Amino acid sequence: MQNLKKRMEKIDDLKERLKKIIKEKAIVYKEVKLSSGKKSNYYIDGKLITLSPEGIYLVSKIIFEMIKDQNIDAIGGLTIGADPIVSGVSLISFIEKKPIYAFIVRSSQKEHGMGKLIEGNIQKNWNVAIVDDVVTTGSSLLKSIEAVESYGAKIKKVICIVDRKEGASQAIEKKGYKLDAIFTKDELLEK
């Protein structure tokens, strides 16, 4: 029980540091068009976090802690939002002696070489986690879920860094999964 308490305190510290970095470096208040096609008066640039040394460490460590006791064989998601996350979590898992393989879902199936839709390490019946950086409607996560289900792997966790609270959670639930967000927009935006 004491170890669980210490682990939770450490995760809370990591989340507080990550929140500070996101607020300082990744949130822009201006009108933008999102990948979902929606317009917004703010933008959260997840790549500024996941492509920075401290940011990717914090994200990877937090997500690893979220899945390390879930019997996860591999972690993956749609390119490009998931790319640094899956690599970071896989690296942390190796350091922590609980290896989790990584894979990437292409936005469209390759028309040359092996013609793959999923690149990397995944096998039929493996337990997997699906990840993304910032989600709005959940379309990237849904594309990853569909690819993984058609491959024959089993989805155990669906995780994002930030849920903009614009339908992703409901869309994921309709597919029979739960979206776990490190943060929601309400936790990050200025009040």
Side-chain angles (χ1 to χ4, degrees):
M1 188 62 137
Q2 190 70 2
N3 282 345
L4 178 61
K5 185 178 178 190
K6 280 184 179 180
R7 196 169 107 194
M8 293 312 293
E9 287 171 1
K10 184 174 182 177
I11 298 280
D12 289 343
D13 291 345
L14 295 174
K15 282 179 72 172
E16 278 307 307
R17 179 64 187 146
L18 180 58
K19 181 193 283 188
K20 184 175 189 229
I21 293 171
I22 291 171
K23 288 174 115 177
E24 287 175 359
K25 298 182 179 185
I27 299 176
V28 178
Y29 292 95
K30 72 177 208 171
E31 187 158 315
V32 293
K33 183 178 177 183
L34 305 172
S35 63
S36 65
K38 292 183 173 189
K39 291 201 189 267
S40 176
N41 62 355
Y42 71 95
Y43 183 73
I44 302 172
D45 191 343
K47 278 52 147 201
L48 287 177
I49 301 307
T50 61
L51 294 172
S52 73
E54 185 178 15
I56 192 56
Y57 169 76
L58 294 168
V59 167
S60 300
K61 184 70 172 160
I62 292 165
I63 292 175
F64 174 74
E65 290 294 329
M66 293 170 76
I67 66 173
K68 76 177 190 179
D69 297 326
Q70 303 292 311
N71 195 30
I72 302 292
D73 298 302
I75 185 167
L78 190 68
T79 196
I80 189 165
D83 296 3
I85 300 169
V86 304
S87 296
V89 172
S90 186
L91 174 63
I92 294 288
S93 76
F94 179 78
I95 292 167
E96 297 284 340
K97 296 180 178 25
K98 284 190 161 215
I100 298 171
Y101 290 90
F103 65 90
I104 306 233
V105 178
R106 291 177 168 278
S107 50
S108 61
Q109 194 155 357
K110 211 163 115 175
E111 294 185 20
H112 59 282
M114 299 301 289
K116 293 180 179 179
L117 180 59
I118 300 176
E119 295 287 350
N121 298 285
I122 187 170
Q123 292 183 21
K124 188 175 181 176
N125 295 317
W126 270 13
N127 295 324
V128 304
I130 303 291
V131 294
D132 202 357
D133 55 4
V134 180
V135 299
T136 305
T137 62
S139 61
S140 293
L141 289 170
L142 292 170
K143 188 168 189 150
S144 296
I145 287 169
E146 186 177 302
V148 167
E149 286 177 338
S150 69
Y151 197 86
K154 295 178 264 186
I155 298 159
K156 295 294 183 184
K157 286 291 234 183
V158 181
I159 301 170
C160 66
I161 300 171
V162 181
D163 181 357
R164 290 177 55 97
K165 303 299 276 181
E166 295 182 37
S169 187
Q170 294 83 350
I172 301 306
E173 281 180 22
K174 281 184 184 175
K175 283 291 289 176
Y177 304 104
K178 178 182 180 288
L179 176 61
D180 291 321
I182 297 174
F183 301 110
T184 64
K185 72 172 184 178
D186 299 331
E187 296 173 280
L188 298 173
L189 298 183
E190 295 173 355
K191 303 276 187 227

